[in-house]
Amino acid sequence: MKRKPSRLAAANPIGTTQDSSHEGLVGEVLQQVHSRTRQELDMKEVLSVNADLKSEIVRLQEKLAASERELTAFVYSVSHDLRAPLRAMQGFGRILIEDYGANLDQDGQEYASRIIRAAEQMDGLLADILIYSRAQSREITLNPISLDEAVAFTLRDFKQDIENTHAFIEVAPGLGTVLGNAPALDQVLGEILSNALLYTKLGEPPRVQIRSKSGGGVVRLEVIDQGIGISAEQHQKIFEPFTRLHGADIYKGNGLGLAIVRKVVLNMNGAYGVESAPNEGSRFWIELPAAE
């Protein structure tokens, strides 16, 4: 007589549910181990790639710094070597006019004068190229600077130009104190003021306002003129090297002044810009961190 299986054995045959449960657990454990191993391998690969990238970045930075040093040295050498003969041209041109001018006809005197002016223009261009090159690679130290004192220094430096152009300069009091570099800031103010005195409407003396406003941890210095103005599409372009909006026969210059402003201001952790429209004057501004 066959023996009937118990209800327990019938409901749960030996080796079926238990084995399948063990297999599922083992599979889950193996899957977790595989996943963790894969993550660890991926992390090692990421760290290895990051290390390689950092090493490559350091190498490229060192290479770039070396190239900048070589370029600066080259520009300095070329500028120095070229300016010497240009100054000789200026000197001999003046001697020619002063000592032998009586023996030259009107055309001869004009040609000699043109030689002197061309040599002076090229000498100024080389000087500005050297300044621009230094501004691009130079590391500067920032210190608290009184804008009142900086503006006063620039105005004293431009005293002769202000008198020659019969300019009216109005400076607001209490301009503030910023973190900057004194020689660099003098260069910036000189370039901006020079433009304000130069790009005037024909027959009108320059009228310039200098004022400032503070907020958000910065001080904005504004130089406002009533000159010929600049169209909106040229506002950014004028800060690029060798950009000239007018012929040298109308307004002298070499197109490097505002490019120098851009480089120097950025080196001082500042910002720059212009607000202008044709025949409505210009408002050039720079922003520097406020000194606490």
Side-chain angles (χ1 to χ4, degrees):
M1 182 177 180
K2 288 185 177 181
R3 184 180 180 183
K4 292 183 179 181
S6 68
R7 287 182 296 176
L8 177 61
N12 187 13
I14 296 174
T16 303
T17 304
Q18 290 179 351
D19 288 349
S20 116
S21 175
H22 286 312
E23 288 175 2
L25 180 60
V26 170
E28 184 179 346
V29 170
L30 288 175
Q31 185 176 1
Q32 291 179 358
V33 170
H34 179 270
S35 176
R36 178 167 296 181
T37 303
R38 183 68 261 175
Q39 290 176 357
E40 290 177 353
L41 289 174
D42 290 344
M43 182 58 67
K44 289 181 180 179
E45 291 176 0
V46 169
L47 292 175
S48 177
V49 171
N50 284 343
D52 291 342
L53 286 174
K54 288 180 180 179
S55 177
E56 182 66 12
I57 290 172
V58 170
R59 187 186 69 81
L60 291 175
Q61 288 176 335
E62 292 175 349
K63 186 176 180 180
L64 178 60
S67 298
E68 288 182 348
R69 289 192 297 269
E70 290 177 2
L71 179 60
T72 300
F74 173 76
V75 171
Y76 178 82
S77 177
V78 169
S79 298
H80 181 271
D81 292 344
L82 289 179
R83 293 181 75 187
L86 284 173
R87 288 170 178 170
M89 290 170 60
Q90 296 176 48
F92 284 117
R94 293 190 181 96
I95 292 173
L96 183 63
I97 292 178
E98 293 172 3
D99 295 350
Y100 301 95
N103 299 325
L104 299 174
D105 59 14
Q106 186 174 357
D107 287 342
Q109 293 182 12
E110 176 61 22
Y111 296 153
S113 297
R114 288 186 180 182
I115 290 173
I116 295 173
R117 290 196 298 270
E120 289 175 344
Q121 183 177 0
M122 181 60 70
D123 184 53
L125 174 59
L126 290 172
D128 283 347
I129 289 176
L130 184 58
I131 292 172
Y132 181 77
S133 175
R134 287 174 173 172
Q136 185 160 325
S137 59
R138 180 183 177 189
E139 294 184 2
I140 58 178
T141 302
L142 303 181
N143 298 296
I145 298 176
S146 167
L147 288 177
D148 297 282
E149 295 179 2
V151 169
F153 177 86
T154 301
L155 293 178
R156 288 194 299 269
D157 196 38
F158 276 78
K159 181 180 179 181
Q160 192 62 52
D161 295 293
I162 293 172
E163 292 178 354
N164 292 341
T165 58
H166 305 289
F168 176 77
I169 312 292
E170 180 184 354
V171 182
L175 296 176
T177 304
V178 298
L179 284 177
N181 178 272
L185 184 56
D186 292 340
Q187 181 73 43
V188 168
L189 295 177
E191 297 291 353
I192 295 178
L193 181 60
S194 177
N195 276 2
L197 297 178
L198 176 62
Y199 294 102
T200 59
K201 298 174 183 177
L202 294 178
E204 296 184 12
R207 298 183 65 87
V208 181
Q209 291 179 299
I210 301 176
R211 63 191 190 190
S212 71
K213 53 186 177 182
S214 304
V218 300
V219 178
R220 172 178 286 203
L221 183 70
E222 300 178 340
V223 179
I224 308 164
D225 65 58
Q226 298 180 10
I228 59 176
I230 306 164
S231 60
E233 59 269 19
Q234 302 292 345
H235 285 184
Q236 290 301 319
K237 187 177 181 180
I238 60 173
F239 291 97
E240 298 175 2
F242 304 111
T243 298
R244 290 187 54 85
L245 304 184
H246 309 280
D249 54 331
I250 303 177
Y251 295 102
K252 66 179 182 178
N254 50 47
L256 270 177
L258 292 178
I260 292 172
V261 169
R262 177 174 64 90
K263 281 294 182 183
V264 173
V265 170
L266 292 178
N267 277 356
M268 292 190 290
N269 301 325
Y272 64 91
V274 63
E275 300 168 11
S276 182
N279 298 316
E280 295 184 12
S282 300
R283 180 195 307 265
F284 282 92
W285 59 266
I286 62 171
E287 287 182 351
L288 292 173
E292 296 180 358

